[in-house]
Amino acid sequence: MLLLAVPLTAELDRLFPESTVAHHEGAVAMAGAEPADGADERARALAQEIADSQEAEIAEMQEMPGGASSDGPGGPSEEEHGGR
């Protein structure tokens, strides 16, 4: 587990959503490829669940200080996330 060497201050309150949004965006992008290219029905269903839950978490974190998308203010376009 990666531990950030950050003091427990407002800086952490900014860094947590900032880094987690970027991480979740990567997961959503990967999950978007599964329904398009995957053959396993269970994997496709799980990928959709992951995309849905992580997109909801991204939206929540973007409301926090530091939660702006790694792709800039307003986040990535729908096209970048497979139209989700």
Side-chain angles (χ1 to χ4, degrees), residues 2 7 20 37 44 57 61-62 64 77:
L2 176 66
T20 305
D37 300 323
R44 289 192 312 266
E57 290 175 8
M61 286 184 284
Q62 286 176 329
M64 298 176 181
S77 69

Side-chain angles (χ1 to χ4, degrees), residues 41-57:
E41 185 177 323
R42 294 170 300 168
R44 289 192 312 266
L46 180 58
Q48 187 61 56
E49 288 177 30
I50 288 169
D52 292 345
S53 67
Q54 296 220 351
E55 285 176 337
E57 290 175 8

Side-chain angles (χ1 to χ4, degrees), residues 21-31 54 58 81:
V21 164
H23 172 78
H24 277 31
E25 288 173 340
V28 170
M30 289 174 58
Q54 296 220 351
I58 288 168
H81 280 268

